[in-house]
Amino acid sequence: MSEQVQVTLLEAKSQLLQLGARAWQGDRVVITKAGKPYLDLLPYVATPQARKPGRLKGKIRMSADFDRTSEDIIEGFEGRL
């Protein structure tokens, strides 16, 4: 179960490595300034890049008989072999 940890800016400066490890393990780390919450220390989470349609245009080719299936393959799938 995660727990919340509050530290001052000065404490965070001297304990950054340990606080980072705790944040990575799921603890909520709050850094305070003048007794009030100032920053949340969060683990990095990669965000997926937006998909760009058409970026492979002209790089992929399909054979002319792509949509034709030979009879032996059809028979194999239908269990007639």
Side-chain angles (χ1 to χ4, degrees):
M1 185 172 184
S2 64
E3 69 180 74
Q4 181 171 327
V5 180
Q6 282 194 343
V7 294
T8 65
L9 276 172
L10 185 60
E11 291 171 327
K13 182 179 175 183
S14 65
Q15 300 174 16
L16 186 58
L17 187 60
Q18 294 86 356
L19 293 172
R22 290 189 71 170
W24 190 254
Q25 293 171 358
D27 289 345
R28 181 169 182 219
V29 179
V30 178
I31 300 172
T32 62
K33 181 177 180 181
K36 296 180 183 174
Y38 185 63
L39 298 168
D40 285 330
L41 186 60
L42 302 171
Y44 174 76
V45 177
T47 55
Q49 294 182 348
R51 183 177 171 273
K52 181 181 176 188
R55 64 186 169 101
L56 296 177
K57 187 175 184 178
K59 296 181 180 179
I60 298 175
R61 296 185 315 183
M62 291 188 179
S63 65
D65 64 346
F66 171 75
D67 57 348
R68 292 186 211 125
T69 307
S70 64
E71 282 299 315
D72 59 330
I73 292 178
I74 293 173
E75 290 173 1
F77 274 103
E78 293 179 356
R80 292 184 280 179
L81 287 179

